[in-house]
Amino acid sequence: MFNSDKIVQFNFPTIIRFGAGAVKELPGYLQQNNLAAPLIVTDTNVAQLSFFKSIVSSLQQRNISVEVFQEIHKNPVKSDVYKGTEAWDHTNRDCIIGIGGGAALDVARAIVLRIYHREDLFKYDDLIGGDVFVTNDVPHFITIPTTAGTGSETGRSAIIADDETHQKKILFSPRLLAKIVYADPLLTMELPPFITAATGMDALTHNMEAYLAKTPHPLCEGIALEGISIISQALTKAVNSPDQESRSKMLIASLMGAVAFQKGLGVVHSLAHPLSSLLDTHHGLANAVNIPYGMQFNIEGCEHKFKRIARTLELKEENGEAVVKYLFDLNSKINIPHKLRDIGVKQGHIETLADLAIADFAHPNNPKPLTREDFKHLYLKAL
Ligand SMILES: NC(=O)c1ccc[n+]([C@@H]2O[C@H](COP(=O)([O-])OP(=O)(O)OC[C@H]3O[C@@H](n4cnc5c(N)ncnc54)[C@H](O)[C@@H]3O)[C@@H](O)[C@H]2O)c1
Ligand SMILES: [Fe+2]
């Protein structure tokens, strides 16, 4: 419900250059902005791909000096950020370009924060109000997504885990927005089916959870519903027989999900984060398996919103149960398992998972409040 008795703030993101070939504009953009020495932050896989090598050579051809930092974990940790900052310190850089999936973009953003904020990284943890300490300048920051899932390219936050506990922390500040995003669907053409499926379900989870999140934000709700619609048209094709249209749709819908989730996330992300912390499960896969169960939990009290989601998905039955069935069916079509036991979760993990889930930052905006018992029950149901 939206009412105007309370003053709220709406923020929208940075410049987005979207379309096939957009990344070719990068060298000209750097030159126009007198930037000649980027630190490129990526991961070791992406650094081997041919599009990455051609981005680097397109810069070198214009006499732009390139330094690549790629030593990052699948679920990034604080020491990755510290090592990347050392690369900046030792090589006289003037800007940071993140190229990759959410993991690389999050590390890039956390390095952007750290350059002029040298206290312990987790002093800036948003969950303990650390965003107020983000007061200094940050380097010029550019993002180039190569997966269609997290939408981290348009975000203001970086999710980085503690090296020892593996608990994910969220670093947040409007200062951490990229100055420009080059969203080029051609970079996503060769994404393997499993990564397309898992990241695509992350994007769907962002749009659905943002739409349902209890914070009032009608602008985000409109974007989230359109994001859900676009994903429903494109995800199965992008996984099973990708073409430029399905890749483009997934890239824009992923970006829309991240714009929408400034409104908040919910139960599914809080079920998913502990799986990455404890078992190093890919973030998108963890969301994908949990989303039908999380949405089932949310139906009560949100019947009207589920009716609108069902209508957006063009389902025959316009209710929450039909949305849950749609999610199970979608997972089947893109080869995502229905059960947590199929992705390595065991009965013995449940208590720890429930402890981590209740402490997670994503669920306070869920439309229906959750207890530790609720999380335990949901994990057992999904097991
Ligand atoms: N900042 C945010 O708002 C936000 C939101 C959601 C998730 N996240 C974080 O994002 C991370 C997950 O990101 P992700 O789902 O994009 O996965 P990812 O970055 O781990 O990438 C998945 C895999 O795909 C490979 N890859 C990337 N681009 C490719 C391409 N074009 N072709 C072939 N392979 C490619 C990568 O090397 C990696 O092995 C998690 O750490 C999660 O916590 C951040
Ligand atoms: Fe996510």
Side-chain angles (χ1 to χ4, degrees), residues 43-46 49 51 74-76 100-104 106 109 146-152 155-159 168 187-192 195 198-199 202 206 258 261 265 269 273 282-284:
D43 68 38
T44 45
N45 272 335
V46 172
L49 300 175
F51 71 74
K74 178 177 155 197
N75 283 295
D106 278 6
R109 180 170 292 109
T146 68
T147 61
T150 71
S152 175
R156 297 165 294 172
S157 53
I159 299 174
K168 292 203 173 197
L187 307 188
T188 67
M189 289 306 292
E190 307 299 327
L191 275 170
I195 296 172
T199 52
D202 186 26
H206 294 154
F261 81 60
L265 286 168
H269 270 77
H273 287 147
H282 177 265
H283 173 73

mmCIF file of all heavy atoms in Angstrom, residues 43-46 49 51 74-76 100-104 106 109 146-152 155-159 168 187-192 195 198-199 202 206 258 261 265 269 273 282-284, ligand 1:
data_model
loop_
_atom_site.group_PDB
_atom_site.id
_atom_site.type_symbol
_atom_site.label_atom_id
_atom_site.label_comp_id
_atom_site.label_asym_id
_atom_site.label_seq_id
_atom_site.Cartn_x
_atom_site.Cartn_y
_atom_site.Cartn_z
ATOM 1 N N ASP A 43 37.545 -11.660 -13.089
ATOM 2 C CA ASP A 43 37.941 -12.926 -12.460
ATOM 3 C C ASP A 43 38.795 -13.723 -13.445
ATOM 4 O O ASP A 43 38.891 -13.365 -14.625
ATOM 5 C CB ASP A 43 36.718 -13.708 -11.943
ATOM 6 C CG ASP A 43 35.815 -14.241 -13.038
ATOM 7 O OD1 ASP A 43 36.325 -14.683 -14.092
ATOM 8 O OD2 ASP A 43 34.591 -14.229 -12.852
ATOM 9 N N THR A 44 39.389 -14.810 -12.953
ATOM 10 C CA THR A 44 40.365 -15.528 -13.792
ATOM 11 C C THR A 44 39.719 -16.164 -15.032
ATOM 12 O O THR A 44 40.367 -16.271 -16.066
ATOM 13 C CB THR A 44 41.100 -16.625 -12.987
ATOM 14 O OG1 THR A 44 40.128 -17.329 -12.231
ATOM 15 C CG2 THR A 44 42.117 -16.044 -12.047
ATOM 16 N N ASN A 45 38.436 -16.557 -14.933
ATOM 17 C CA ASN A 45 37.747 -17.120 -16.109
ATOM 18 C C ASN A 45 37.542 -16.071 -17.168
ATOM 19 O O ASN A 45 37.872 -16.274 -18.339
ATOM 20 C CB ASN A 45 36.326 -17.579 -15.731
ATOM 21 C CG ASN A 45 36.288 -18.973 -15.238
ATOM 22 O OD1 ASN A 45 37.163 -19.764 -15.577
ATOM 23 N ND2 ASN A 45 35.285 -19.276 -14.433
ATOM 24 N N VAL A 46 36.933 -14.952 -16.749
ATOM 25 C CA VAL A 46 36.603 -13.899 -17.721
ATOM 26 C C VAL A 46 37.878 -13.375 -18.385
ATOM 27 O O VAL A 46 37.888 -13.100 -19.588
ATOM 28 C CB VAL A 46 35.795 -12.762 -17.038
ATOM 29 C CG1 VAL A 46 35.613 -11.578 -17.975
ATOM 30 C CG2 VAL A 46 34.434 -13.279 -16.582
ATOM 31 N N LEU A 49 38.654 -14.990 -21.635
ATOM 32 C CA LEU A 49 37.684 -14.995 -22.740
ATOM 33 C C LEU A 49 38.093 -14.007 -23.829
ATOM 34 O O LEU A 49 38.716 -12.978 -23.550
ATOM 35 C CB LEU A 49 36.273 -14.679 -22.216
ATOM 36 C CG LEU A 49 35.739 -15.682 -21.170
ATOM 37 C CD1 LEU A 49 34.394 -15.233 -20.616
ATOM 38 C CD2 LEU A 49 35.620 -17.087 -21.771
ATOM 39 N N PHE A 51 36.421 -11.881 -25.683
ATOM 40 C CA PHE A 51 35.928 -10.498 -25.647
ATOM 41 C C PHE A 51 36.737 -9.662 -24.656
ATOM 42 O O PHE A 51 36.968 -8.473 -24.878
ATOM 43 C CB PHE A 51 34.425 -10.425 -25.349
ATOM 44 C CG PHE A 51 34.017 -10.787 -23.945
ATOM 45 C CD1 PHE A 51 34.261 -9.920 -22.883
ATOM 46 C CD2 PHE A 51 33.378 -11.993 -23.679
ATOM 47 C CE1 PHE A 51 33.882 -10.256 -21.586
ATOM 48 C CE2 PHE A 51 32.992 -12.327 -22.388
ATOM 49 C CZ PHE A 51 33.260 -11.456 -21.346
ATOM 50 N N LYS A 74 35.131 -17.105 -5.837
ATOM 51 C CA LYS A 74 33.788 -17.272 -6.427
ATOM 52 C C LYS A 74 32.754 -16.506 -5.592
ATOM 53 O O LYS A 74 31.883 -15.823 -6.130
ATOM 54 C CB LYS A 74 33.504 -18.772 -6.409
ATOM 55 C CG LYS A 74 32.183 -19.205 -6.920
ATOM 56 C CD LYS A 74 32.143 -20.752 -6.890
ATOM 57 C CE LYS A 74 30.737 -21.275 -6.804
ATOM 58 N NZ LYS A 74 30.691 -22.687 -6.380
ATOM 59 N N ASN A 75 32.835 -16.638 -4.279
ATOM 60 C CA ASN A 75 32.070 -15.778 -3.381
ATOM 61 C C ASN A 75 33.116 -14.865 -2.727
ATOM 62 O O ASN A 75 33.815 -15.295 -1.803
ATOM 63 C CB ASN A 75 31.304 -16.609 -2.341
ATOM 64 C CG ASN A 75 30.058 -17.254 -2.950
ATOM 65 O OD1 ASN A 75 29.131 -16.560 -3.366
ATOM 66 N ND2 ASN A 75 30.048 -18.578 -3.060
ATOM 67 N N PRO A 76 33.254 -13.624 -3.217
ATOM 68 C CA PRO A 76 34.403 -12.788 -2.851
ATOM 69 C C PRO A 76 34.531 -12.523 -1.359
ATOM 70 O O PRO A 76 33.522 -12.415 -0.647
ATOM 71 C CB PRO A 76 34.134 -11.469 -3.592
ATOM 72 C CG PRO A 76 33.150 -11.771 -4.632
ATOM 73 C CD PRO A 76 32.348 -12.950 -4.150
ATOM 74 N N GLY A 100 32.771 -8.217 -15.595
ATOM 75 C CA GLY A 100 32.504 -9.593 -15.200
ATOM 76 C C GLY A 100 31.113 -9.774 -14.645
ATOM 77 O O GLY A 100 30.218 -8.930 -14.833
ATOM 78 N N GLY A 101 30.951 -10.891 -13.927
ATOM 79 C CA GLY A 101 29.689 -11.150 -13.247
ATOM 80 C C GLY A 101 29.646 -10.376 -11.937
ATOM 81 O O GLY A 101 30.514 -9.528 -11.660
ATOM 82 N N GLY A 102 28.640 -10.704 -11.118
ATOM 83 C CA GLY A 102 28.459 -9.978 -9.861
ATOM 84 C C GLY A 102 29.676 -10.059 -8.960
ATOM 85 O O GLY A 102 29.999 -9.101 -8.251
ATOM 86 N N ALA A 103 30.387 -11.199 -8.998
ATOM 87 C CA ALA A 103 31.540 -11.359 -8.107
ATOM 88 C C ALA A 103 32.610 -10.317 -8.447
ATOM 89 O O ALA A 103 33.071 -9.579 -7.569
ATOM 90 C CB ALA A 103 32.090 -12.780 -8.223
ATOM 91 N N ALA A 104 32.980 -10.222 -9.724
ATOM 92 C CA ALA A 104 34.011 -9.257 -10.131
ATOM 93 C C ALA A 104 33.539 -7.816 -9.909
ATOM 94 O O ALA A 104 34.311 -6.959 -9.459
ATOM 95 C CB ALA A 104 34.373 -9.470 -11.597
ATOM 96 N N ASP A 106 31.363 -6.700 -7.750
ATOM 97 C CA ASP A 106 31.325 -6.378 -6.318
ATOM 98 C C ASP A 106 32.728 -6.105 -5.773
ATOM 99 O O ASP A 106 32.928 -5.180 -4.977
ATOM 100 C CB ASP A 106 30.677 -7.515 -5.520
ATOM 101 C CG ASP A 106 29.155 -7.451 -5.561
ATOM 102 O OD1 ASP A 106 28.616 -6.603 -6.299
ATOM 103 O OD2 ASP A 106 28.504 -8.229 -4.839
ATOM 104 N N ARG A 109 33.782 -2.711 -6.940
ATOM 105 C CA ARG A 109 33.120 -1.631 -6.179
ATOM 106 C C ARG A 109 33.706 -1.502 -4.770
ATOM 107 O O ARG A 109 33.876 -0.391 -4.263
ATOM 108 C CB ARG A 109 31.606 -1.888 -6.127
ATOM 109 C CG ARG A 109 30.841 -0.819 -5.360
ATOM 110 C CD ARG A 109 29.322 -0.939 -5.503
ATOM 111 N NE ARG A 109 28.886 -0.636 -6.850
ATOM 112 C CZ ARG A 109 28.431 -1.523 -7.721
ATOM 113 N NH1 ARG A 109 28.339 -2.797 -7.374
ATOM 114 N NH2 ARG A 109 28.072 -1.160 -8.925
ATOM 115 N N THR A 146 29.024 -9.011 -17.525
ATOM 116 C CA THR A 146 29.155 -10.101 -18.500
ATOM 117 C C THR A 146 28.269 -11.290 -18.147
ATOM 118 O O THR A 146 28.304 -12.313 -18.820
ATOM 119 C CB THR A 146 30.625 -10.562 -18.623
ATOM 120 O OG1 THR A 146 31.005 -11.191 -17.383
ATOM 121 C CG2 THR A 146 31.565 -9.408 -18.905
ATOM 122 N N THR A 147 27.506 -11.189 -17.040
ATOM 123 C CA THR A 147 26.419 -12.142 -16.781
ATOM 124 C C THR A 147 25.132 -11.314 -16.726
ATOM 125 O O THR A 147 25.190 -10.087 -16.619
ATOM 126 C CB THR A 147 26.580 -12.881 -15.429
ATOM 127 O OG1 THR A 147 26.561 -11.922 -14.354
ATOM 128 C CG2 THR A 147 27.859 -13.690 -15.368
ATOM 129 N N ALA A 148 23.992 -12.012 -16.808
ATOM 130 C CA ALA A 148 22.704 -11.308 -16.714
ATOM 131 C C ALA A 148 21.988 -11.853 -15.494
ATOM 132 O O ALA A 148 21.210 -12.816 -15.595
ATOM 133 C CB ALA A 148 21.888 -11.513 -17.980
ATOM 134 N N GLY A 149 22.287 -11.274 -14.339
ATOM 135 C CA GLY A 149 21.724 -11.812 -13.109
ATOM 136 C C GLY A 149 21.706 -10.839 -11.963
ATOM 137 O O GLY A 149 20.653 -10.379 -11.539
ATOM 138 N N THR A 150 22.890 -10.484 -11.485
ATOM 139 C CA THR A 150 22.935 -9.697 -10.248
ATOM 140 C C THR A 150 22.515 -8.250 -10.460
ATOM 141 O O THR A 150 21.995 -7.610 -9.554
ATOM 142 C CB THR A 150 24.360 -9.662 -9.653
ATOM 143 O OG1 THR A 150 25.178 -8.847 -10.480
ATOM 144 C CG2 THR A 150 24.958 -11.046 -9.550
ATOM 145 N N GLY A 151 22.780 -7.706 -11.631
ATOM 146 C CA GLY A 151 22.529 -6.286 -11.868
ATOM 147 C C GLY A 151 23.487 -5.411 -11.081
ATOM 148 O O GLY A 151 23.294 -4.192 -10.995
ATOM 149 N N SER A 152 24.544 -5.989 -10.539
ATOM 150 C CA SER A 152 25.484 -5.240 -9.697
ATOM 151 C C SER A 152 26.019 -3.997 -10.413
ATOM 152 O O SER A 152 26.351 -2.996 -9.773
ATOM 153 C CB SER A 152 26.634 -6.154 -9.270
ATOM 154 O OG SER A 152 27.607 -5.446 -8.563
ATOM 155 N N GLY A 155 24.181 -1.076 -9.313
ATOM 156 C CA GLY A 155 23.907 -0.998 -7.885
ATOM 157 C C GLY A 155 24.825 -0.041 -7.137
ATOM 158 O O GLY A 155 25.775 0.513 -7.700
ATOM 159 N N ARG A 156 24.518 0.114 -5.865
ATOM 160 C CA ARG A 156 25.334 0.973 -4.988
ATOM 161 C C ARG A 156 25.939 0.139 -3.877
ATOM 162 O O ARG A 156 26.410 0.665 -2.893
ATOM 163 C CB ARG A 156 24.435 2.054 -4.372
ATOM 164 C CG ARG A 156 23.832 2.984 -5.385
ATOM 165 C CD ARG A 156 22.689 3.778 -4.797
ATOM 166 N NE ARG A 156 21.585 2.894 -4.453
ATOM 167 C CZ ARG A 156 20.501 3.255 -3.786
ATOM 168 N NH1 ARG A 156 20.386 4.500 -3.378
ATOM 169 N NH2 ARG A 156 19.536 2.394 -3.525
ATOM 170 N N SER A 157 25.852 -1.208 -4.027
ATOM 171 C CA SER A 157 26.350 -2.031 -2.936
ATOM 172 C C SER A 157 27.277 -3.125 -3.441
ATOM 173 O O SER A 157 27.223 -3.509 -4.611
ATOM 174 C CB SER A 157 25.171 -2.649 -2.170
ATOM 175 O OG SER A 157 24.328 -3.300 -3.065
ATOM 176 N N ALA A 158 28.118 -3.598 -2.545
ATOM 177 C CA ALA A 158 29.019 -4.707 -2.847
ATOM 178 C C ALA A 158 28.841 -5.737 -1.744
ATOM 179 O O ALA A 158 28.828 -5.381 -0.558
ATOM 180 C CB ALA A 158 30.457 -4.222 -2.881
ATOM 181 N N ILE A 159 28.690 -6.988 -2.155
ATOM 182 C CA ILE A 159 28.514 -8.046 -1.163
ATOM 183 C C ILE A 159 29.840 -8.798 -1.035
ATOM 184 O O ILE A 159 30.300 -9.428 -1.983
ATOM 185 C CB ILE A 159 27.349 -8.978 -1.566
ATOM 186 C CG1 ILE A 159 26.067 -8.140 -1.638
ATOM 187 C CG2 ILE A 159 27.209 -10.123 -0.570
ATOM 188 C CD1 ILE A 159 24.866 -8.870 -2.146
ATOM 189 N N LYS A 168 28.285 -13.028 4.686
ATOM 190 C CA LYS A 168 28.292 -11.955 3.684
ATOM 191 C C LYS A 168 27.934 -10.627 4.339
ATOM 192 O O LYS A 168 26.972 -10.544 5.100
ATOM 193 C CB LYS A 168 27.308 -12.281 2.561
ATOM 194 C CG LYS A 168 27.747 -13.465 1.724
ATOM 195 C CD LYS A 168 27.131 -13.471 0.328
ATOM 196 C CE LYS A 168 27.764 -14.581 -0.497
ATOM 197 N NZ LYS A 168 27.553 -14.429 -1.936
ATOM 198 N N LEU A 187 28.459 -9.559 -25.026
ATOM 199 C CA LEU A 187 29.423 -10.143 -24.077
ATOM 200 C C LEU A 187 28.827 -11.356 -23.354
ATOM 201 O O LEU A 187 29.563 -12.126 -22.736
ATOM 202 C CB LEU A 187 29.886 -9.118 -23.041
ATOM 203 C CG LEU A 187 30.446 -7.790 -23.557
ATOM 204 C CD1 LEU A 187 31.025 -6.977 -22.395
ATOM 205 C CD2 LEU A 187 31.519 -8.012 -24.612
ATOM 206 N N THR A 188 27.508 -11.492 -23.399
ATOM 207 C CA THR A 188 26.864 -12.607 -22.672
ATOM 208 C C THR A 188 26.512 -13.778 -23.593
ATOM 209 O O THR A 188 25.958 -14.777 -23.136
ATOM 210 C CB THR A 188 25.575 -12.141 -21.957
ATOM 211 O OG1 THR A 188 24.590 -11.784 -22.947
ATOM 212 C CG2 THR A 188 25.822 -10.937 -21.063
ATOM 213 N N MET A 189 26.835 -13.672 -24.881
ATOM 214 C CA MET A 189 26.389 -14.686 -25.853
ATOM 215 C C MET A 189 26.914 -16.088 -25.530
ATOM 216 O O MET A 189 26.242 -17.069 -25.775
ATOM 217 C CB MET A 189 26.824 -14.305 -27.283
ATOM 218 C CG MET A 189 26.091 -13.128 -27.882
ATOM 219 S SD MET A 189 24.289 -13.244 -27.893
ATOM 220 C CE MET A 189 23.999 -14.550 -29.059
ATOM 221 N N GLU A 190 28.142 -16.165 -24.979
ATOM 222 C CA GLU A 190 28.749 -17.486 -24.765
ATOM 223 C C GLU A 190 28.589 -17.999 -23.337
ATOM 224 O O GLU A 190 29.244 -18.976 -22.957
ATOM 225 C CB GLU A 190 30.258 -17.443 -25.115
ATOM 226 C CG GLU A 190 30.585 -16.908 -26.502
ATOM 227 C CD GLU A 190 29.967 -17.756 -27.606
ATOM 228 O OE1 GLU A 190 29.849 -18.983 -27.414
ATOM 229 O OE2 GLU A 190 29.580 -17.190 -28.639
ATOM 230 N N LEU A 191 27.749 -17.348 -22.548
ATOM 231 C CA LEU A 191 27.539 -17.845 -21.176
ATOM 232 C C LEU A 191 27.035 -19.286 -21.226
ATOM 233 O O LEU A 191 26.067 -19.574 -21.933
ATOM 234 C CB LEU A 191 26.475 -17.001 -20.472
ATOM 235 C CG LEU A 191 26.907 -15.714 -19.784
ATOM 236 C CD1 LEU A 191 25.665 -14.931 -19.371
ATOM 237 C CD2 LEU A 191 27.759 -16.020 -18.561
ATOM 238 N N PRO A 192 27.646 -20.198 -20.479
ATOM 239 C CA PRO A 192 27.178 -21.588 -20.489
ATOM 240 C C PRO A 192 25.741 -21.700 -19.946
ATOM 241 O O PRO A 192 25.324 -20.844 -19.150
ATOM 242 C CB PRO A 192 28.156 -22.305 -19.565
ATOM 243 C CG PRO A 192 29.280 -21.368 -19.327
ATOM 244 C CD PRO A 192 28.796 -19.980 -19.606
ATOM 245 N N ILE A 195 25.160 -21.348 -16.060
ATOM 246 C CA ILE A 195 25.323 -19.989 -15.505
ATOM 247 C C ILE A 195 24.179 -19.088 -15.971
ATOM 248 O O ILE A 195 23.661 -18.267 -15.207
ATOM 249 C CB ILE A 195 26.707 -19.411 -15.871
ATOM 250 C CG1 ILE A 195 27.797 -20.250 -15.208
ATOM 251 C CG2 ILE A 195 26.846 -17.961 -15.384
ATOM 252 C CD1 ILE A 195 29.200 -19.906 -15.627
ATOM 253 N N ALA A 198 21.197 -20.066 -13.687
ATOM 254 C CA ALA A 198 21.335 -19.652 -12.280
ATOM 255 C C ALA A 198 21.288 -18.126 -12.159
ATOM 256 O O ALA A 198 20.579 -17.578 -11.309
ATOM 257 C CB ALA A 198 22.638 -20.217 -11.712
ATOM 258 N N THR A 199 22.014 -17.426 -13.032
ATOM 259 C CA THR A 199 22.024 -15.960 -12.943
ATOM 260 C C THR A 199 20.660 -15.396 -13.337
ATOM 261 O O THR A 199 20.195 -14.418 -12.745
ATOM 262 C CB THR A 199 23.140 -15.341 -13.821
ATOM 263 O OG1 THR A 199 23.021 -15.866 -15.136
ATOM 264 C CG2 THR A 199 24.521 -15.643 -13.286
ATOM 265 N N ASP A 202 18.429 -15.540 -10.472
ATOM 266 C CA ASP A 202 18.774 -14.478 -9.516
ATOM 267 C C ASP A 202 18.042 -13.187 -9.931
ATOM 268 O O ASP A 202 17.420 -12.511 -9.098
ATOM 269 C CB ASP A 202 20.300 -14.274 -9.521
ATOM 270 C CG ASP A 202 20.794 -13.300 -8.455
ATOM 271 O OD1 ASP A 202 20.111 -13.156 -7.417
ATOM 272 O OD2 ASP A 202 21.871 -12.703 -8.648
ATOM 273 N N HIS A 206 15.289 -11.122 -7.813
ATOM 274 C CA HIS A 206 15.377 -9.684 -7.482
ATOM 275 C C HIS A 206 14.069 -8.977 -7.823
ATOM 276 O O HIS A 206 13.529 -8.218 -7.014
ATOM 277 C CB HIS A 206 16.515 -9.007 -8.248
ATOM 278 C CG HIS A 206 17.865 -9.494 -7.855
ATOM 279 N ND1 HIS A 206 18.947 -9.456 -8.686
ATOM 280 C CD2 HIS A 206 18.305 -10.050 -6.692
ATOM 281 C CE1 HIS A 206 20.001 -9.953 -8.066
ATOM 282 N NE2 HIS A 206 19.632 -10.335 -6.857
ATOM 283 N N ALA A 258 17.990 -4.991 -10.356
ATOM 284 C CA ALA A 258 18.857 -4.298 -9.389
ATOM 285 C C ALA A 258 18.366 -2.884 -9.119
ATOM 286 O O ALA A 258 18.508 -2.384 -8.002
ATOM 287 C CB ALA A 258 20.288 -4.281 -9.903
ATOM 288 N N PHE A 261 15.452 -3.464 -6.704
ATOM 289 C CA PHE A 261 15.667 -3.972 -5.332
ATOM 290 C C PHE A 261 16.300 -2.956 -4.395
ATOM 291 O O PHE A 261 16.582 -3.271 -3.229
ATOM 292 C CB PHE A 261 16.292 -5.361 -5.293
ATOM 293 C CG PHE A 261 17.779 -5.504 -5.468
ATOM 294 C CD1 PHE A 261 18.689 -4.911 -4.612
ATOM 295 C CD2 PHE A 261 18.268 -6.330 -6.471
ATOM 296 C CE1 PHE A 261 20.047 -5.081 -4.764
ATOM 297 C CE2 PHE A 261 19.632 -6.514 -6.636
ATOM 298 C CZ PHE A 261 20.519 -5.877 -5.782
ATOM 299 N N LEU A 265 14.839 -6.608 -0.512
ATOM 300 C CA LEU A 265 14.767 -7.997 -0.992
ATOM 301 C C LEU A 265 13.893 -8.766 -0.004
ATOM 302 O O LEU A 265 12.959 -8.191 0.541
ATOM 303 C CB LEU A 265 16.176 -8.576 -1.126
ATOM 304 C CG LEU A 265 16.979 -8.049 -2.320
ATOM 305 C CD1 LEU A 265 18.445 -8.445 -2.216
ATOM 306 C CD2 LEU A 265 16.395 -8.552 -3.645
ATOM 307 N N HIS A 269 16.442 -14.420 -0.646
ATOM 308 C CA HIS A 269 17.864 -14.083 -0.526
ATOM 309 C C HIS A 269 18.420 -14.476 0.843
ATOM 310 O O HIS A 269 19.582 -14.873 0.944
ATOM 311 C CB HIS A 269 18.116 -12.604 -0.832
ATOM 312 C CG HIS A 269 18.386 -12.362 -2.292
ATOM 313 N ND1 HIS A 269 17.386 -12.351 -3.234
ATOM 314 C CD2 HIS A 269 19.552 -12.182 -2.971
ATOM 315 C CE1 HIS A 269 17.926 -12.162 -4.426
ATOM 316 N NE2 HIS A 269 19.235 -12.054 -4.304
ATOM 317 N N HIS A 273 21.748 -16.766 0.907
ATOM 318 C CA HIS A 273 23.083 -16.322 1.351
ATOM 319 C C HIS A 273 23.797 -17.351 2.224
ATOM 320 O O HIS A 273 24.995 -17.604 2.029
ATOM 321 C CB HIS A 273 22.978 -14.961 2.075
ATOM 322 C CG HIS A 273 22.705 -13.819 1.132
ATOM 323 N ND1 HIS A 273 21.957 -12.717 1.491
ATOM 324 C CD2 HIS A 273 23.073 -13.608 -0.158
ATOM 325 C CE1 HIS A 273 21.895 -11.877 0.461
ATOM 326 N NE2 HIS A 273 22.554 -12.397 -0.548
ATOM 327 N N HIS A 282 26.797 -21.317 -5.703
ATOM 328 C CA HIS A 282 26.645 -20.115 -6.523
ATOM 329 C C HIS A 282 25.375 -19.373 -6.094
ATOM 330 O O HIS A 282 24.323 -19.988 -5.866
ATOM 331 C CB HIS A 282 26.573 -20.477 -8.017
ATOM 332 C CG HIS A 282 26.349 -19.271 -8.883
ATOM 333 N ND1 HIS A 282 25.099 -18.888 -9.306
ATOM 334 C CD2 HIS A 282 27.215 -18.341 -9.343
ATOM 335 C CE1 HIS A 282 25.214 -17.766 -10.008
ATOM 336 N NE2 HIS A 282 26.484 -17.423 -10.054
ATOM 337 N N HIS A 283 25.483 -18.029 -6.005
ATOM 338 C CA HIS A 283 24.389 -17.205 -5.487
ATOM 339 C C HIS A 283 23.071 -17.411 -6.256
ATOM 340 O O HIS A 283 22.004 -17.568 -5.660
ATOM 341 C CB HIS A 283 24.824 -15.737 -5.558
ATOM 342 C CG HIS A 283 23.746 -14.772 -5.207
ATOM 343 N ND1 HIS A 283 23.304 -14.602 -3.913
ATOM 344 C CD2 HIS A 283 22.997 -13.945 -5.985
ATOM 345 C CE1 HIS A 283 22.331 -13.692 -3.903
ATOM 346 N NE2 HIS A 283 22.125 -13.276 -5.145
ATOM 347 N N GLY A 284 23.169 -17.431 -7.572
ATOM 348 C CA GLY A 284 21.950 -17.573 -8.382
ATOM 349 C C GLY A 284 21.308 -18.934 -8.199
ATOM 350 O O GLY A 284 20.079 -19.052 -8.088
HETATM 351 N N1 LIG B 1 25.930 -6.118 -5.659
HETATM 352 C C1 LIG B 1 24.748 -6.642 -5.763
HETATM 353 O O1 LIG B 1 23.780 -5.940 -5.752
HETATM 354 C C2 LIG B 1 24.595 -8.120 -5.887
HETATM 355 C C3 LIG B 1 23.327 -8.682 -6.113
HETATM 356 C C4 LIG B 1 23.228 -10.059 -6.220
HETATM 357 C C5 LIG B 1 24.369 -10.846 -6.119
HETATM 358 N N2 LIG B 1 25.580 -10.283 -5.887
HETATM 359 C C6 LIG B 1 26.811 -11.077 -5.782
HETATM 360 O O2 LIG B 1 27.203 -11.441 -7.107
HETATM 361 C C7 LIG B 1 27.919 -12.661 -7.076
HETATM 362 C C8 LIG B 1 27.366 -13.613 -8.119
HETATM 363 O O3 LIG B 1 27.492 -13.022 -9.406
HETATM 364 P P1 LIG B 1 27.118 -13.822 -10.740
HETATM 365 O O4 LIG B 1 25.868 -14.581 -10.506
HETATM 366 O O5 LIG B 1 27.159 -12.880 -11.866
HETATM 367 O O6 LIG B 1 28.246 -14.916 -10.834
HETATM 368 P P2 LIG B 1 29.827 -14.805 -10.997
HETATM 369 O O7 LIG B 1 30.300 -13.428 -11.061
HETATM 370 O O8 LIG B 1 30.397 -15.706 -9.960
HETATM 371 O O9 LIG B 1 30.025 -15.492 -12.433
HETATM 372 C C9 LIG B 1 29.658 -16.867 -12.589
HETATM 373 C C10 LIG B 1 30.661 -17.558 -13.493
HETATM 374 O O10 LIG B 1 30.464 -17.125 -14.825
HETATM 375 C C11 LIG B 1 31.700 -16.785 -15.440
HETATM 376 N N3 LIG B 1 31.412 -15.778 -16.470
HETATM 377 C C12 LIG B 1 31.122 -14.473 -16.268
HETATM 378 N N4 LIG B 1 30.837 -13.886 -17.449
HETATM 379 C C13 LIG B 1 30.960 -14.830 -18.409
HETATM 380 C C14 LIG B 1 30.774 -14.818 -19.834
HETATM 381 N N5 LIG B 1 30.379 -13.731 -20.477
HETATM 382 N N6 LIG B 1 30.972 -15.971 -20.499
HETATM 383 C C15 LIG B 1 31.332 -17.092 -19.847
HETATM 384 N N7 LIG B 1 31.511 -17.175 -18.502
HETATM 385 C C16 LIG B 1 31.323 -16.043 -17.787
HETATM 386 C C17 LIG B 1 32.542 -16.308 -14.280
HETATM 387 O O11 LIG B 1 33.894 -16.416 -14.548
HETATM 388 C C18 LIG B 1 32.116 -17.256 -13.155
HETATM 389 O O12 LIG B 1 32.841 -18.461 -13.234
HETATM 390 C C19 LIG B 1 27.793 -13.192 -5.647
HETATM 391 O O13 LIG B 1 29.012 -12.921 -4.971
HETATM 392 C C20 LIG B 1 26.667 -12.389 -5.054
HETATM 393 O O14 LIG B 1 26.775 -12.226 -3.650
HETATM 394 C C21 LIG B 1 25.701 -8.945 -5.802
#
